Amino acid sequence: MYAGSRKQKEIAPHKGHVRKGDTVRVLSGKDRGKQAKVLRVIPSKGTAIVERVNLAKKHTKANPQKNVKGGIAEREAPIRLAKLQVVCPSCNQATRTGSHRTDEGAKRFCRNCETEM
């Protein structure tokens, strides 16, 4: 199939279970089992940037005017939110999250130990 022959399906914005600053565990892929902190979430694409996970190599050319060194740089590439699961700080397990509606707003909780996150 040719690239221009059919419109690509648009991805609906993901109502994320993952937030910036959360500790997550990677469920599948080359980094399966790694536990790291979320740096940025991109809900429109359903992806997140996770610290030291899904590293991509980028070849850079030296530019003395901008103080850029040449060589091969590693940087984090986005990873799908479906491949991530939040780690509960109290029970230290990868878990699904739920939410309660309170007077202060919505509060997340761990489905394993039922403590607030």
Side-chain angles (χ1 to χ4, degrees):
M1 179 159 276
Y2 298 107
S5 64
R6 186 185 289 195
K7 269 188 169 179
Q8 283 186 340
K9 272 194 335 190
E10 288 189 30
I11 299 171
H14 194 277
K15 285 179 106 178
H17 57 281
V18 177
R19 295 179 185 167
K20 179 181 174 180
D22 281 348
T23 303
V24 293
R25 186 167 294 148
V26 181
L27 299 176
S28 64
K30 65 181 182 182
D31 295 315
R32 180 176 57 217
K34 282 190 181 177
Q35 195 168 315
K37 186 177 172 186
V38 176
L39 301 175
R40 201 172 106 201
V41 178
I42 309 161
S44 61
K45 293 185 178 180
T47 59
I49 309 274
V50 182
E51 194 173 37
R52 304 299 300 163
V53 171
N54 200 22
L55 293 175
K57 292 182 187 259
K58 180 175 172 136
H59 295 259
T60 57
K61 191 172 181 179
N63 189 346
Q65 291 178 346
K66 293 183 181 177
N67 258 353
V68 175
K69 285 188 175 183
I72 301 171
E74 282 190 335
R75 63 184 190 129
E76 293 94 0
I79 188 168
R80 301 289 301 171
L81 290 176
K83 294 182 175 188
L84 303 175
Q85 197 165 30
V86 180
V87 174
C88 176
S90 59
C91 64
N92 203 23
Q93 290 183 342
T95 181
R96 296 182 315 150
T97 57
S99 62
H100 289 295
R101 224 351 135 205
T102 61
D103 295 334
E104 300 95 42
K107 299 283 185 181
R108 286 194 311 172
F109 69 94
C110 171
R111 294 266 182 176
N112 287 342
C113 62
E114 296 186 5
T115 57
E116 278 190 11
M117 298 172 84

